[in-house]
Each structure stands twice: as C-alpha cells, then as structure tokens.
C-alpha cells in the first residue's frame, strides 16, 4: 500500500513537471481509471457493455483509433472492429485499402507498380480476442493494449502506428462474454467460484464458433469474413485463446505437424517468423513456460486461425494456460505435463526452453503474456512492413500461378443439380469468402459435358486457390508417420479429416482439367433465389419439389398460414415420392413463399391420380442439457429455425415428469454420450470432473426415471430421433435389437475420423423422401448398425446403407470392411411408436445440407 502511494505521487509529480509539453495532448482515460481496477486482476472481469463504452470514449479522446460497429451479434450486442493506426493512416484508409486490395490480388498489375504500392502501403494486421467466451484473457487484455498504442510516445510505438493498420476484434463473441461475466460474478465468493458456464456461451454454437470460418453460419462469422476475407485481407492474423491449465503457460506459433496442403509455402515460414519474434519477446520479458511448434497441428478445422492461411493470411493462434476464469489456480510442479504433438515431456526442449515451475497462476499472468504476444506481432510487422507486403503479393501471385498450371484448372457447379437451391446457397457462401465465381450466360461444354445456362465455374487461377482446393476438391487426410504413433495406431486429427463443402452439402461439383470456353460473367453479388409460381388453369393445384431442402421451409410457411399440404407417395408421371402438393391457393400467398424460399410452384393438370397423404407436422421437442451445454443441440436448433420448423426445448425435469405424449410427438436427442444423457458420467476424466462441478441445479441427466419416461413415450406412439452417439443410448436403454458394429473396434483395425462416405438411400421410404438413391454422409465417431436376429425383425427398416466397397469419398478410412453394406440409419418400431437411429452426422454444424432431409422427414408425417 505504502509503496503504491509513493509511486502514485511520483507519477503525479512527473505529470506536473512535463505538463507544458503535453498541453496539446488531450487526456486519454486509462483502463484502470475507467474500470476502477487493473484489468486481469483477481476476481474482476469487465463486462462487454462497459468495454464497448470504453472504446467509444477512446475514440472521442484520441485520433489514433476508429471504431466500426459491424452490427448486432446473434443476441443483439454490438460487434466491434477497432482500427488503430497513426492519424495520417486513419484519414487515408480508403487509399490504403485500395493498395491492400491490389497487393492481395495482383492479377493484371505490373510488378513495377506493386513495388510502388509496397512502399506506399501499410501492413494490415488483425488480432481477435476471446472467441471462446470462457477464454477471457484476450478481451480483458485488449483495452490495455489499445491504450498503450494510442498514448505511448516512444519510437517503437510510433513505428507501429506509422507502418501498421491494426484491426482489433476486441471480442469475437459479445454474447458469450456477457454470459460468462454475469455467471462469474454470480459465483464469486461461493463454493462454485471459477466453475465454467453450465450452458453454451452462445445462443447456438458455443465453442463451435471456431468451426464456422468456412460456412459462415453465424452473424459474428459473417462480420469477420467481411473484414478479413473481402474488405481487408490482412497479412497476418492472430486469434488469442486459452487451453488447459496443466501444461505450458502459453503456446505461440508456429503449428506442429502435419500441415494441410495447398497453402503457399511462405505461409508456413511466416508462422515461424512471427512466432519466433513473439516467443523471443516473451523470453526477453522473462516469461516462463512458452512453447511453440507443438500441440496445435497445421492441419486442423476450418475455424478462423486455421482457415485464414488459405486466404493467404498468416493465420495463427496463441493459447494461454487457463486460470479458473478470473480466480487464480494453484498448480503443483508434479501436476505439470507435456502434451500431444511434439511436446512429449514437461522438460526443457528447443521450443520450450524455460519450463514454468508451478505455483499460482492468475488472469493477470494471462493478460500480460497475451499483451506481449499481441504487441510483438505488431512490432515485427512494423519493422518489416515492406517485406510483409511484398510477400503478401508473392503469395497471391504464386497461388494464382499454381492454379493456372495445376490440375484441375477449375471446378464447375452445374445448375442441373438434385437440389439446385442448395447449390446456390453454396455459391453464395463461397462469395462471402471472397472467392471469384463466374456464371455461364449460355450453355457451355467442358470435357464432353454440356452445362446449362446459369451453371457456375470457379477457376483456380486466383489468389484463393488453396481455399478452393480444400473446399471443393476431394481430400485425403495424410496417413504417415506424423499421423500414426510408433506402434502404427492412427492419431485422431484435431477435427474432421475433411471439410469438403460440396460433399457436405450434397452438391455435385466437377473438377475440369482444361478451362472451358464460354460466355461467363463474374458474380458481384449473391445469386438471388426467387421462385416462380406458374399460372394455373386447372383446379388440381400445385406441386413443389420434394428434393429441395428449401421446400421444407416452404411447407412450414404454408402450414403456418393454414394451407393444407400433401405429399406424393408413389412415382407418377413427372412426380416423385416426397413431392409436395397443395390445392389451388391464392397466387399472392404462393408468391410470398416463393420469394422467401426460391421454391417454384408448378401448376398441376386436372388428372393427378397418385397416392398422397396429408402432411401433419409433429410437435417436436429438442433435448437440451446443462453441464456446459451440447453444441450439436444448439446447431440442431439453428437448422430447425433456418427451415422454420417449430420446436420446443425440453430439459431433464420435464422428461422425468413423464406424460410426454401429451405435449410432443417427436423428441430429438442430439449427438451425446449415454453417460451425459443419463447423468451417470462414467469414465469421465478427473480433470473434466474438476472443471464441471456445477451447482446441483445445473448437473444434468435424465436418470432412470427419464429413461422410463422416454420408453413410455415411444410405446404410446411417440418418435425418438437419435443422432450419432445418442443412438447408443437408444440401443442400450430402450433395448433395441440393433448392434453398433464399430463400438469396440481397435483403431488399427477400424478408424474413420470425420470423413464423407458413400451410401445408398431408400428414397421410397418416407424417411428418405426427396433424397437421391445414392450419395454421401458425414461419418464422425458414428455408430453403424446391424439388426440382430429376433422374432420381430419386421419391425426394423434400414433407410440408409453404406455401399459395398470404395466407401471413402474424402477424409480417412481404415478398415472399410467393418462398414461394408452396414446400416447407417435405421427405423425401429417400438410399441406404438418408433425410434429413428441416424448414426452419421445428419446436420453437423449446420453444414451437412445433403442429409438435412432425413431429419426433416422425421418431423412430419
Ligand atoms: Zn479457444
């Protein structure tokens, strides 16, 4: 206390002495003055609303930062991008943006001009904070970083402001930040202080907001893509995270092995280059426990730091050891351990020269190390601005050249698709990523195939070649000594083994070896989808296409308006099982639905003579739990809302009470383990239990009562739909005569981590109406089924089945014989109801549009 007071006096005296010099400088409020405590101090967290006000205050007080409010988050909180640079650069942003655009896409520009642009331009650097809302350090650190950048007058700071335009995303998940702050404040001082949030830290997706850099389903992702993929392509990007508490104190770039193909090689060198400076500055500052080139492989998911390298951005991450939110954690030396991938022991190694010895670990430690890391990135870019820009040019140029020379040369997306509206959705998503797409104004021929007018062609001779290859090309995950241990056991990839967009979406994309000639126009805006309503002269009504996902939205909108809808149950001329039929409704109603969905309404002749049934929408319940929430549950809600399916969330208490048939016809169990559903939680690691000792009201599990209530629900005519792992729950607890054939396989014999596999769909069965006869499903830790012999084999039906051989499309599959001809989706009658087991990921992360209909069909009758 005493020494602090002295310090305060000295500063006051200092300010008084130099006051005449500082007279032109407006006072800038420090974070400590504003928030009333030092950010990162124990048991304190600043809340996003207050932080937003602070940035706006700084914008008033300083001419070195500018705020862009990108718009509301999912739940209506502001999503900010703060641009920090010299006042000159900030007034010149339009020109700098233009220069940056030319360097990032130098097609048609002379190299001599690039040389001039590199001199005139500024390095564009982006860093984002606390995407994962429980990883609170970044957002708490950023105000201090901002304040220092705009108030320090030393040469280093000036160099950064002069040479760098810094795009700071101070909070990538505003909604989650608020949830976590409020939760933490509620628990401080109780026995649950520092325990994680019992539910998802986002309305829908929680941790999976870092799996959305490709499909851009969330509005926060759309904002980030606008800045990073289209308006500004930064040269480097760092996303600041936290990891577990018991390993290194901080992971910094580069990544470890293996690396994903098709990025420019300079990217991987840049990771090492920036990472070395970051690590060097941390060692210089005496920070112990800094690790690089380990743990996080260069082949991960398509979250932000992992997808940006394919946009030619040096995309990186840092990972700080976690405290218990803002509560310090004590770590004994013998609790410290190495981790996966090139960090085998908690011992000194070249990439970890100074092991941290253990002791108290606090939020302030995290804030300080992240501050140094963030500053070091800006510092290195500022010192080497021209190199950074020149290499950005080289990456873009060389990727374009590789695309022009390589095979394939382009991908064609025919407008003749099983579900052409989903194909357009894919095209529009790729547009959000800044990929150049051309649309054919007339039909054209490529490699002997005639593509109709309106088809799309994506040339690989463009800077984002690597991204396009990864999203649209068939991919095989590496099977080599980086991906198997010394005994040959395959190592699980960090995420899925493929992220192929068109395979997930059920869109057919053709690679072509030579560029096609034709009349093409570069798309500048999203492709509109407005459906047509034919003039009907008969009285038989209209048909809309059961093969389109969007038709289910149309169906829901019509049912909401009280319009009766039927489905065709047999093939008749021009109609397929699953096609939707309505009576001769007023054109205005239909046109409104056609505008919203893109679905066409075709007039029927007078003589429709097919078997039909009236569509009844089932009262659907979506099971939701606490214990941190379940992302698959959130994503399922998101998908249902996108397609206007009504649903209710249902939790343990309501299930346990029973009498479920009174309110619901269908209950969906998202992908989850039996232990999490029942609450038995066997086999859970000590570490996880210690992290999830939630207050009793947030410990979930339906228990034996819940199992009995679900059984009664099905026996009385209800439908239970289970996704992925929760099929095991249904098999075990509802006692179905079905066996999961890959339940106990040895990974050397059978291994399939997140891959697309070939199947056949029984599209004459109402559960597979609208599906093609064959296609792809996403397998990810999925069960596969055989029906066990019993007296009641007739009660079981296989809706989707793996094909015989060459099952793998993209990803990694060892031991395909285990899946050969096995059932992938089974419907089982049980009492008066049924259980629908969907083993694969029918709606994975709102990405697998190709299999949505299997879910939708289960929600109607
Ligand atoms: Zn994270």
């Amino acid at each position: 206390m005493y020494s602090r007071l002295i310090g305060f006096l000295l500063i006051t005296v200092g300010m008084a002495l130099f006051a005449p010099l500082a007279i032109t400088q407006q006072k800038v409020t420090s974070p400590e003055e504003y928030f009333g405590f030092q950010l990162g101090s124990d048991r304190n967290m600043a809340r996003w609303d207050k932080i937003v006000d602070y940035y706006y205050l700084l914008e008033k007080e300083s001419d070195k930062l500018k705020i862009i409010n990108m718009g509301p988050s999912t739940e209506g909180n502001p999503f900010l991008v703060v641009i920090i640079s010299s006042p000159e650069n900030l007034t010149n942003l339009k020109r700098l943006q233009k220069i940056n655009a030319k360097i990032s896409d130098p097609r048609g520009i002379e190299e001599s001009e690039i040389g001039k642009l590199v001199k005139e331009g500024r390095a564009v650097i982006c860093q984002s904070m606390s995407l994962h809302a429980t990883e609170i350090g970044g957002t708490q650190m950023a105000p201090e970083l901002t304040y220092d950048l705009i108030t320090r007058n030393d040469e280093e700071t000036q160099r950064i402001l002069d040479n760098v335009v810094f795009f700071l995303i101070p909070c990538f998940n505003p909604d989650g930040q608020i949830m976590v702050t409020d939760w933490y404040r509620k628990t401080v001082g109780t026995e649950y202080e520092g325990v994680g949030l019992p539910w998802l830290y986002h309305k829908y997706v929680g941790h999976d907001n870092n799996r959305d850099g490709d499909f851009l389903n969330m509005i926060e992702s759309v904002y980030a893509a606008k800045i990073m993929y289209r308006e500004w392509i930064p040269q480097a990007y760092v996303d600041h995270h936290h990891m577990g508490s018991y390993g290194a104190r901080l992971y910094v770039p580069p990544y470890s092995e293996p690396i994903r193909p098709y990025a420019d090689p300079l990217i991987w060198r840049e990771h090492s280059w920036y990472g070395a400076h970051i690590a060097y500055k941390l060692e210089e500052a005496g920070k112990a426990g800094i690790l690089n080139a380990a743990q996080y492989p260069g082949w991960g998911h398509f979250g932000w730091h992992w997808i940006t390298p394919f946009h030619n951005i040096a995309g990186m991450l840092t990972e700080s050891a976690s405290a218990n939110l803002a509560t310090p954690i004590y770590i004994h030396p013998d609790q410290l351990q190495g981790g996966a991938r090139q960090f085998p022991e908690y011992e000194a190694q070249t990439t970890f020269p100074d092991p941290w010895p253990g002791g108290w670990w606090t939020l302030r430690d995290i804030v300080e190390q992240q501050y140094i890391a963030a500053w070091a990135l800006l510092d290195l870019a500022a010192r080497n601005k021209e190199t950074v820009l020149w290499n950005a040019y080289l990456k873009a140029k060389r990727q374009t050249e590789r695309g022009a020379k390589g095979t394939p040369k382009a991908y064609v997306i025919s407008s003749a698709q099983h579900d052409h509206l989903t194909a357009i959705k894919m095209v529009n998503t790729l547009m959000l990523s800044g990929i150049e797409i051309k649309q054919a104004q007339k039909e054209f021929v490529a490699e002997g195939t005639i593509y109709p007018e309106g088809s799309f062609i994506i040339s690989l001779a463009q800077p984002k070649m690597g991204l396009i290859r990864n999203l649209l090309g068939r991919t095989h995950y590496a099977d080599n000594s980086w991906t198997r241990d010394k005994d040959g056991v395959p190592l699980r990839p960090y995420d899925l083994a493929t992220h192929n967009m068109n395979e997930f979406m059920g869109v057919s994309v053709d690679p072509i070896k030579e560029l096609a000639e034709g009349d093409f126009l570069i798309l500048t805006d999203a492709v509109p989808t407005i459906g047509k309503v034919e003039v009907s002269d008969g009285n038989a009504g209209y048909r809309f296409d059961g093969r389109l996902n969007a038709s289910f939205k149309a169906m829901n909108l019509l049912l909401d308006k009280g319009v009766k809808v039927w489905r065709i149950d047999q093939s008749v001329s021009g109609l397929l099982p699953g096609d939707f039929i309505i009576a001769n409704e007023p054109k205005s109603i239909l046109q409104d639905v056609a505008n919203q969905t893109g679905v066409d309404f075709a007039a029927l002749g007078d003589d429709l003579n097919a078997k039909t049934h009236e569509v009844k929408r089932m009262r659907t319940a979506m099971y939701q739990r606490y214990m941190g929430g379940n992302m698959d549950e959130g994503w399922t809600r998101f998908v249902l809302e996108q397609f206007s399916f009504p649903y209710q969330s249902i939790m343990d208490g309501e299930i346990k009470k029973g009498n479920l048939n009174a309110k619901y016809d269908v209950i969906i169990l998202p992908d989850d383990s039996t232990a999490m559903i029942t609450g038995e939680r066997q086999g859970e690691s000590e570490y996880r239990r210690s992290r999830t000792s939630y207050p009793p009201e947030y410990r979930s599990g339906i228990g034996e009562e819940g199992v009995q209530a679900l059984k009664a629900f099905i026996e009385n005519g209800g439908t239970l739909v289970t996704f992925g792992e929760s099929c095991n729950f249904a098999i075990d607890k509802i006692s179905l005569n079905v066996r999961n054939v890959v339940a106990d396989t040895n990974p050397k014999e059978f291994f399939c981590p997140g891959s697309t596999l070939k199947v056949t769909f029984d599209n004459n069965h109402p559960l597979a109406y609208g599906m093609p006869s064959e296609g792809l499903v996403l397998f990810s830790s999925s069960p596969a089924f055989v029906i066990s012999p019993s007296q009641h084999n007739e009660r079981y039906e296989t809706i989707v089945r793996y094909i015989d051989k060459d099952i793998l499309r993209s990803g990694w599959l060892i031991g395909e014989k285990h899946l050969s001809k096995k059932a992938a989706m089974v419907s089982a009658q049980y009492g008066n109801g049924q259980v629908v087991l969907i083993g694969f990921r029918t709606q994975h992360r709102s990405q697998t549009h190709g299999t949505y209909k299997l879910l939708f069909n289960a929600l109607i009758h």
Side-chain angles (χ1 to χ4, degrees):
M1 188 65 192
Y2 179 74
S3 62
R4 266 201 201 172
L5 193 65
I6 298 257
F8 177 74
L9 287 172
L10 285 175
I11 289 167
T12 318
V13 171
M15 279 167 67
L17 279 176
F18 294 106
L21 288 176
I23 208 150
T24 51
Q25 283 243 319
Q26 206 197 330
K27 155 121 178 69
V28 177
T29 309
S30 75
E32 198 161 342
E33 278 174 274
Y34 184 79
F35 294 99
F37 59 92
Q38 184 187 45
L39 289 173
S41 59
D42 292 351
R43 297 182 175 80
N44 274 317
M45 272 173 78
R47 196 175 186 268
W48 180 239
D49 50 344
K50 195 99 199 268
I51 299 174
V52 168
D53 291 346
Y54 180 61
Y55 284 112
Y56 278 110
L57 176 66
L58 293 185
E59 193 186 39
K60 269 200 209 126
E61 292 178 343
S62 167
D63 53 3
K64 296 175 190 164
L65 88 164
K66 213 174 201 163
I67 296 172
I68 314 175
N69 184 345
M70 301 296 294
S73 65
T74 302
E75 301 205 77
N77 296 297
F79 187 102
L80 302 189
V81 174
V82 180
I83 313 177
I84 302 166
S85 196
S86 70
E88 297 70 36
N89 289 342
L90 289 180
T91 48
N92 204 19
L93 273 184
K94 277 224 161 80
R95 170 73 189 150
L96 294 176
Q97 185 178 16
K98 213 171 239 171
I99 294 170
N100 198 68
K102 286 183 176 172
I103 291 172
S104 311
D105 185 358
R107 287 178 294 172
I109 303 173
E110 291 293 325
E111 197 156 284
S112 57
E113 195 194 334
I114 297 289
K116 288 181 207 148
L117 295 173
V118 161
K119 284 209 159 53
E120 191 191 343
R122 300 288 183 268
V124 178
I125 304 294
C126 182
Q127 303 196 60
S128 55
M129 308 297 161
S130 301
L131 172 74
H132 293 147
T134 48
E135 303 169 14
I136 59 176
T139 295
Q140 302 297 310
M141 173 276 281
E144 207 167 298
L145 177 71
T146 305
Y147 175 77
D148 283 0
L149 281 167
I150 63 177
T151 56
R152 268 173 58 172
N153 283 318
D154 50 277
E155 194 185 322
E156 185 171 297
T157 311
Q158 200 53 51
R159 185 168 49 229
I160 292 173
L161 294 173
D162 288 343
N163 291 289
V164 173
V165 181
F166 173 28
F167 284 79
L168 167 66
I169 300 175
C171 180
F172 209 132
N173 178 3
D175 302 345
Q177 205 280 345
I178 288 170
M179 289 181 207
V180 171
T181 307
D182 291 348
W183 168 252
Y184 181 70
R185 288 178 179 173
K186 213 173 104 179
T187 58
V188 164
T190 74
E191 64 175 302
Y192 301 106
E193 175 175 327
V195 163
L197 194 69
W199 53 88
L200 295 176
Y201 47 65
H202 181 276
K203 184 177 177 190
Y204 300 109
V205 302
H207 202 80
D208 266 0
N209 59 2
N210 200 27
R211 307 291 186 276
D212 195 36
D214 46 358
F215 279 75
L216 309 172
N217 278 305
M218 294 296 119
I219 190 67
E220 295 83 6
S221 304
V222 171
Y223 296 148
K226 183 166 188 255
I227 291 291
M228 287 203 283
Y229 297 169
R230 304 198 307 279
E231 294 190 347
W232 294 86
I233 316 280
Q235 282 80 54
Y237 163 64
V238 173
D239 195 19
H240 296 279
H241 287 252
H242 293 199
M243 56 184 176
S245 306
Y246 297 95
R249 294 301 88 196
L250 175 67
Y251 155 85
V252 300
Y255 298 105
S256 60
E257 311 304 332
I259 65 172
R260 191 193 280 266
Y262 306 125
D264 187 278
L266 267 172
I267 283 285
W268 304 105
R269 298 299 184 185
E270 287 180 321
H271 294 159
S272 296
W273 187 63
Y274 288 114
H277 192 65
I278 293 169
Y280 187 71
K281 284 289 171 187
L282 286 154
E283 299 293 348
E284 190 182 273
K287 298 290 178 193
I290 309 302
L291 173 73
N292 61 349
Q295 267 182 236
Y296 299 91
W299 195 328
H301 49 65
F302 269 157
W304 300 96
H305 63 91
W306 260 321
I307 198 168
T308 36
F310 302 90
H311 290 265
N312 301 325
I313 301 164
M316 301 170 273
L317 82 159
T318 73
E319 292 270 0
S320 294
S322 300
N324 288 331
L325 297 174
T327 298
I329 179 172
Y330 188 84
I331 294 169
H332 294 279
D334 58 353
Q335 292 177 317
L336 288 161
Q337 47 190 278
R341 298 186 179 90
Q342 289 103 65
F343 183 38
E345 308 288 343
Y346 193 86
E347 300 283 343
Q349 59 182 52
T350 58
T351 55
F352 185 64
D354 186 16
W356 181 71
W360 282 103
W361 184 247
T362 70
L363 176 59
R364 185 67 203 171
D365 292 322
I366 297 166
V367 163
E368 287 179 8
Q369 57 174 215
Q370 289 196 2
Y371 176 102
I372 296 167
W375 188 282
L377 175 74
L378 300 171
D379 178 50
L380 190 71
R383 287 173 193 271
N384 300 279
K385 184 263 289 186
E386 291 188 18
T387 306
V388 166
L389 289 178
W390 183 257
N391 287 343
Y393 156 68
L394 285 183
K395 285 181 284 183
K397 173 174 168 270
R398 290 175 182 172
Q399 286 291 76
T400 305
E401 286 166 359
R402 283 186 193 101
K405 273 188 263 158
T407 307
K409 298 253 180 315
Y411 293 103
V412 180
I413 305 160
S414 174
S415 60
Q417 296 274 346
H418 182 80
D419 177 351
H420 71 281
L421 291 175
T422 297
I424 291 175
K425 190 172 266 183
M426 185 181 87
V427 164
N428 288 340
T429 305
L430 294 171
M431 294 271 296
L432 292 179
S433 286
I435 289 171
E436 184 181 281
I437 303 174
K438 291 174 185 166
Q439 189 169 29
Q441 305 303 297
K442 292 188 189 121
E443 77 170 29
F444 68 99
V445 179
E447 292 176 7
T449 302
I450 301 169
Y451 291 97
E453 175 192 338
S455 296
F456 304 96
I457 183 160
I458 305 180
S459 164
L460 284 161
Q462 57 176 303
K464 300 198 187 199
M465 180 280 284
L467 182 69
I468 302 165
R469 279 298 289 258
N470 272 294
L471 291 178
L472 301 182
R474 189 178 180 188
T475 50
H476 293 283
Y477 190 78
D479 185 351
N480 58 31
S481 30
W482 289 119
T483 58
R484 294 205 186 223
D485 72 10
K486 58 185 189 315
D487 301 319
V489 178
L491 302 170
R492 188 158 288 282
Y494 196 91
D495 193 69
L496 308 178
T498 180
H499 293 86
N500 182 295
M501 188 177 264
N502 61 288
E503 292 173 13
F504 286 11
M505 294 184 81
V507 175
S508 124
V509 170
D510 300 326
I512 54 172
K513 292 195 189 77
E514 290 305 325
L515 276 182
E517 300 281 310
D519 182 3
F520 301 116
L521 214 61
I522 295 177
L523 293 176
T524 51
D525 289 304
V527 182
T529 51
I530 295 171
K532 290 190 279 292
V533 182
E534 260 180 24
V535 180
S536 164
D537 45 7
N539 294 316
Y542 295 89
R543 167 254 183 191
F544 57 105
D545 192 338
R547 293 171 301 179
L548 308 176
N549 287 351
S551 287
F552 287 84
K553 178 164 183 162
M555 172 203 80
N556 280 321
L557 295 176
L558 290 166
L559 291 171
D560 288 345
K561 289 176 203 239
V563 173
K564 286 190 172 195
V565 181
W566 287 266
R567 279 191 112 180
I568 297 277
D569 288 312
Q570 62 183 140
S571 263
V572 287
S573 59
L575 297 173
L576 293 168
D579 278 350
F580 296 93
I581 302 291
I582 48 171
N584 209 359
E585 298 292 338
K587 195 180 168 186
S588 61
I589 291 185
L590 301 188
Q591 191 58 57
D592 183 35
V593 172
N595 291 349
Q596 287 186 61
T597 59
V599 169
D600 293 334
F601 291 88
L604 288 166
D606 273 333
D607 53 346
L608 176 67
N609 211 349
K611 211 178 131 209
T612 61
H613 72 272
E614 190 183 339
V615 173
K616 288 259 169 8
R617 206 158 42 180
M618 314 266 245
R619 299 165 302 162
T620 299
M622 184 69 222
Y623 174 62
Q624 186 176 48
R625 66 159 162 85
Y626 288 121
M627 310 293 286
N630 175 325
M631 292 178 287
D632 193 47
E633 179 271 331
W635 281 117
T636 309
R637 274 188 286 118
F638 182 73
V639 170
L640 294 178
E641 289 173 24
Q642 292 297 300
F643 289 86
S644 302
F645 275 97
Y647 70 89
Q648 294 280 317
S649 287
I650 181 173
M651 299 195 75
D652 298 326
E654 197 179 343
I655 292 186
K656 285 181 185 173
K657 258 189 239 151
N659 194 21
L660 293 162
N661 304 79
K663 277 179 79 181
Y664 307 111
D665 304 308
V666 178
I667 297 175
I668 304 173
L669 296 183
D671 183 46
D672 216 344
S673 67
T674 301
M676 287 306 282
I677 297 169
T678 59
E680 294 159 13
R681 302 184 68 202
Q682 292 155 341
E684 217 174 272
S685 72
E686 219 176 302
Y687 170 72
R688 195 177 148 72
R689 268 203 304 274
S690 76
R691 276 301 160 98
T692 54
S693 342
Y694 297 105
E697 64 270 34
Y698 297 118
R699 291 179 203 158
S700 43
I702 61 171
E704 187 49 32
E705 275 169 282
V707 171
Q708 292 312 323
L710 284 179
K711 269 190 179 172
F713 167 74
I714 308 161
E715 277 165 357
N716 294 330
T719 297
L720 182 71
V721 178
T722 59
F723 293 169
E725 264 200 272
S726 70
C727 296
N728 296 324
F729 164 85
I731 294 171
D732 298 342
K733 300 291 178 183
I734 314 292
S735 311
L736 301 178
N737 285 318
V738 173
R739 191 162 59 84
N740 171 10
V741 289
V742 293
D744 303 307
T745 41
N746 170 341
K748 269 165 98 169
E749 304 282 312
F750 175 77
F751 192 66
C752 186
S755 304
T756 49
L757 303 182
K758 295 173 207 162
V759 295
T760 55
F761 299 104
D762 177 5
N763 55 14
N764 287 310
H765 192 289
L767 283 170
Y769 274 178
M771 295 300 291
S773 54
E774 48 193 56
L776 300 170
V777 298
L778 177 63
F779 186 101
S780 179
S781 304
S782 303
F785 313 110
V786 291
I787 295 154
S788 311
S790 74
Q791 295 99 311
H792 295 295
N793 292 328
E794 77 284 0
R795 293 180 183 170
Y796 294 82
E797 293 172 290
T798 296
I799 315 297
V800 183
R801 190 185 292 285
Y802 295 105
I803 64 165
D804 184 9
K805 56 176 194 291
D806 299 326
I807 300 173
L808 180 70
R809 174 70 199 176
S810 283
W812 192 9
L813 171 60
I814 298 170
E816 73 166 13
K817 67 169 194 255
H818 293 272
L819 292 181
S820 179
K821 295 197 261 184
K822 298 297 188 295
M825 173 176 170
V826 165
S827 161
Q829 280 177 42
Y830 184 86
N832 293 318
Q834 61 173 343
V835 181
V836 179
L837 304 169
I838 309 180
F840 48 87
R841 309 304 313 273
T842 185
Q843 65 67 33
H844 184 73
R845 295 174 182 158
S846 189
Q847 299 180 349
T848 50
H849 294 249
T851 48
Y852 282 2
K853 284 186 281 286
L854 298 165
L855 165 62
F856 296 164
N857 284 328
L859 308 183
I860 55 176
H861 189 64

